Amino acid sequence: MTATIPDADRPAVTPAFQQVSLARKTKNGVATVLVWLAFLIAVIPLVWVLWTVVESGITRIPYTNWWTEDFSLVLSDEVGGGVLHAIVGTLLQGLVCAIIAVPLGLLVAIYLVEYGRRTRLAKVTTFMVDILSGVPSIVAALFIYALWVTTLGLPRNGFSVSLALVLLMVPVVVRSSEEMLRIVPDDLREASYALGVPKWKTIVKIVLPTALSGIITGIMMALARVMGETAPLLVLVGYSSFVHWDMFQGEMASLPLLINNERATNSMTEGSVGFERIWGAALTLVLIIALINLAATLIGRLVAPKKK
């Protein structure tokens, strides 16, 4: 028979996880300071850029005609007009790019995660996606120019720009979708298989809805990234000062192309017409991308699995 010691007579012992040495506390404090310092170093240039864009471009944004008119009836050095033609071109090119790139990138991601694990084709596909993600935008534009214009003899137009943007958007969609699919617990897949559900239906009904929130966010971020590209526009389409809806015929404006055109044709002195248009177009592009990211966040929250 063993004697028990009352709790009041037991010696007070500090739990092991609370016995942190001074050296470990020092290292933790230094690491915390370094992380915050790195954060501030990254944030300061971002805030500086945003402040410069807002301060320089806010002069044209509040006017209604900036959003509802184009430059078709305005001379290059006259005050007036708006960027409706550039907004339409930017959104059309981005929409056509997304229509092509999103299904392609999502199907590749599904294959890599669900069907092609450890296969030779999956390794080759992953390698090619990595290569494509590092291709500069000017190289993608020159490739489409060589294929679309030189080889096929088709005209430079907005659709060719969208094809070049597809090459830049697909690897981003593949990588973001692949990561979202990988974090879906295998327990959900195994439970579905145990109930006799086919693999394709498990992917459609279980895996994709679970990862849909992150997939949408990744797609919107990829779209926002390609909408700011300039090189494909300079190579594959000419600038138009009026609203043009046909993606297959004629020139088409966009916000990056408008900025480049105004820089080349107007004075860049502070307070001039060209200066205000350039910074106004830059701020407009920032606002559009911010709205796209906000929409992605809201849609992601709506389609996210509900926690009970």
Side-chain angles (χ1 to χ4, degrees), residues 235-308:
V235 175
L236 296 170
V237 70
Y239 176 74
S240 172
S241 60
F242 57 90
V243 178
H244 189 75
W245 295 92
D246 192 350
M247 293 284 293
F248 296 93
Q249 294 293 333
E251 300 173 340
M252 177 175 284
S254 64
L255 289 169
L257 195 57
L258 183 148
I259 293 173
N260 180 78
N261 183 75
E262 291 296 323
R263 181 193 59 81
T265 58
N266 289 317
S267 172
M268 275 297 293
T269 57
E270 187 172 354
S272 63
V273 175
F275 181 88
E276 292 183 355
R277 286 176 179 171
I278 287 174
W279 286 105
L283 181 56
T284 303
L285 182 60
V286 170
L287 291 176
I288 291 176
I289 292 176
L291 290 175
I292 291 176
N293 290 331
L294 179 61
T297 302
L298 295 177
I299 295 174
R301 290 181 179 180
L302 291 176
V303 302
K306 301 298 185 295
K307 296 181 179 180
K308 296 183 178 180

Side-chain angles (χ1 to χ4, degrees), residues 38-54:
F39 171 76
L40 292 176
I41 292 175
V43 167
I44 289 175
L46 175 61
V47 174
W48 192 0
V49 169
L50 290 177
W51 174 256
T52 303
V53 173
V54 172

